[in-house]
Amino acid sequence: MTTRTTRHVYNLVDTVKDTTNRTENEALALTRRIEHIADNFVSINQRLVFVMDAVQELRDLYNDNSQVNEQQETPTPPQERREVWRRPTEITHNRATAIRLTMPLLSQLIVDRFFNGDDAAALSPLTNLALSVDQVLANIQTNHNINVGQVPWGRIPFPIQHESIRELEKASHAFGIGLDECDQSWAAKWLVGYKWGYLYQYIRMRKNTPRAQRASTDEALDLGENNNNSTICSSFTRSHRNRMGS
């Protein structure tokens, strides 16, 4: 074998070795890529399982809640929603204006709407409603540190007024009186504002009245020294009893 041929063989062997090495490296890189893809696939699969489990839990929770709601709603048939209760109006100078409310008038309006005009059936609910008004006023003073004898109703921040009105509307349902049916909360708004203003005026008047005359003032307002100013006897039920006796 000539020197030229030998060199050619060696070059060929080197080429084969280089090709083999490159092939092995590429195969190794491809194997590592496949392993990386497999790891990613496992991770994705685990996440997918987690998501599917979460979806199933949500479905189970939804089904449970639906069953509970059905059980709660089944015993009592849905009640027909009343129409909005608008404040009565009166004609003044050929114009319809909101009627001026009084305790006897509002009492009669409530009896007619919620108790079909049955004064006897309405007596206890109206008494409880009057007590609820007192409780709402007490909550304003306690929760917001507002003294009824120092701050008139008009100076109480609107969010607090709104909160107290909603509180009374919610409480009224326990007595079969749906004050939340009122357009723009006119009944609860008037009740809370009227009662607060009544107390505010009374306390200011009492402070300016000589002590010797306070007993007659309290008696005229159906108040006594032992009465709490936040729970005065309501002319609401008093006027209702007077109407029943007439």
Side-chain angles (χ1 to χ4, degrees):
M1 182 179 298
T2 63
T3 303
R4 184 175 180 181
T5 303
T6 302
R7 187 178 304 161
H8 178 72
V9 170
Y10 284 150
N11 290 338
L12 183 60
V13 170
D14 290 338
T15 301
V16 171
K17 287 182 178 180
D18 291 340
T19 303
T20 303
N21 290 336
R22 284 198 303 270
T23 302
E24 291 177 349
N25 291 336
E26 291 175 356
L28 181 60
L30 182 60
T31 301
R32 289 175 179 174
R33 179 179 294 183
I34 293 173
E35 291 175 350
H36 180 69
I37 293 174
D39 291 339
N40 287 341
F41 178 81
V42 172
S43 177
I44 293 172
N45 186 60
Q46 290 175 346
R47 293 180 183 179
L48 182 60
V49 170
F50 175 81
V51 170
M52 293 300 295
D53 290 341
V55 170
Q56 186 60 46
E57 290 179 1
L58 290 175
R59 287 177 178 173
D60 294 341
L61 181 61
Y62 174 81
N63 292 333
D64 292 342
N65 289 338
S66 298
Q67 292 176 0
V68 170
N69 291 335
E70 290 177 359
Q71 293 174 358
Q72 291 177 345
E73 295 174 359
T74 300
T76 56
Q79 297 181 354
E80 183 179 355
R81 182 175 179 83
R82 288 174 177 262
E83 63 180 14
V84 175
W85 190 15
R86 303 190 184 281
R87 181 168 176 170
T89 58
E90 58 184 355
I91 303 299
T92 304
H93 303 299
N94 296 324
R95 292 180 57 187
T97 58
I99 196 169
R100 181 179 179 274
L101 291 174
T102 63
M103 282 295 186
L105 175 59
L106 182 54
S107 173
Q108 184 60 58
L109 292 173
I110 290 175
V111 171
D112 291 342
R113 182 174 179 88
F114 299 106
F115 302 97
N116 296 321
D118 189 340
D119 288 330
L123 180 57
S124 178
L126 286 175
T127 301
N128 289 325
L129 180 61
L131 294 175
S132 295
V133 176
D134 291 334
Q135 185 60 53
V136 168
L137 267 60
N139 291 343
I140 293 175
Q141 296 181 85
T142 302
N143 298 337
H144 302 286
N145 195 27
I146 299 176
N147 191 313
V148 68
Q150 297 178 357
V151 182
W153 179 251
R155 289 179 56 191
I156 295 178
F158 174 77
I160 298 177
Q161 291 186 10
H162 181 75
E163 174 188 315
S164 64
I165 290 166
R166 293 303 186 196
E167 180 182 351
L168 179 60
E169 289 181 332
K170 183 177 180 180
S172 70
H173 275 276
F175 322 125
I177 301 174
L179 292 186
D180 60 348
E181 297 174 9
C182 296
D183 181 38
Q184 299 181 10
S185 301
W186 63 265
K189 188 182 299 183
W190 185 86
L191 273 172
V192 177
Y194 172 86
K195 194 65 168 288
W196 185 278
Y198 182 89
L199 281 170
Y200 174 77
Q201 293 295 337
Y202 163 73
I203 294 173
R204 290 178 64 86
M205 180 179 64
R206 198 170 190 274
K207 286 180 179 179
N208 297 326
T209 301
R211 187 173 185 82
Q213 300 178 14
R214 288 181 182 178
S216 60
T217 301
D218 291 343
E219 184 178 354
L221 293 173
D222 200 11
L223 291 164
E225 290 288 348
N226 296 327
N227 287 55
N228 187 317
N229 284 335
S230 67
T231 55
I232 67 174
C233 178
S234 175
S235 58
F236 202 17
T237 52
R238 186 165 59 249
S239 63
H240 185 64
R241 289 191 182 96
N242 292 340
R243 190 173 68 252
M244 287 180 63
S246 59

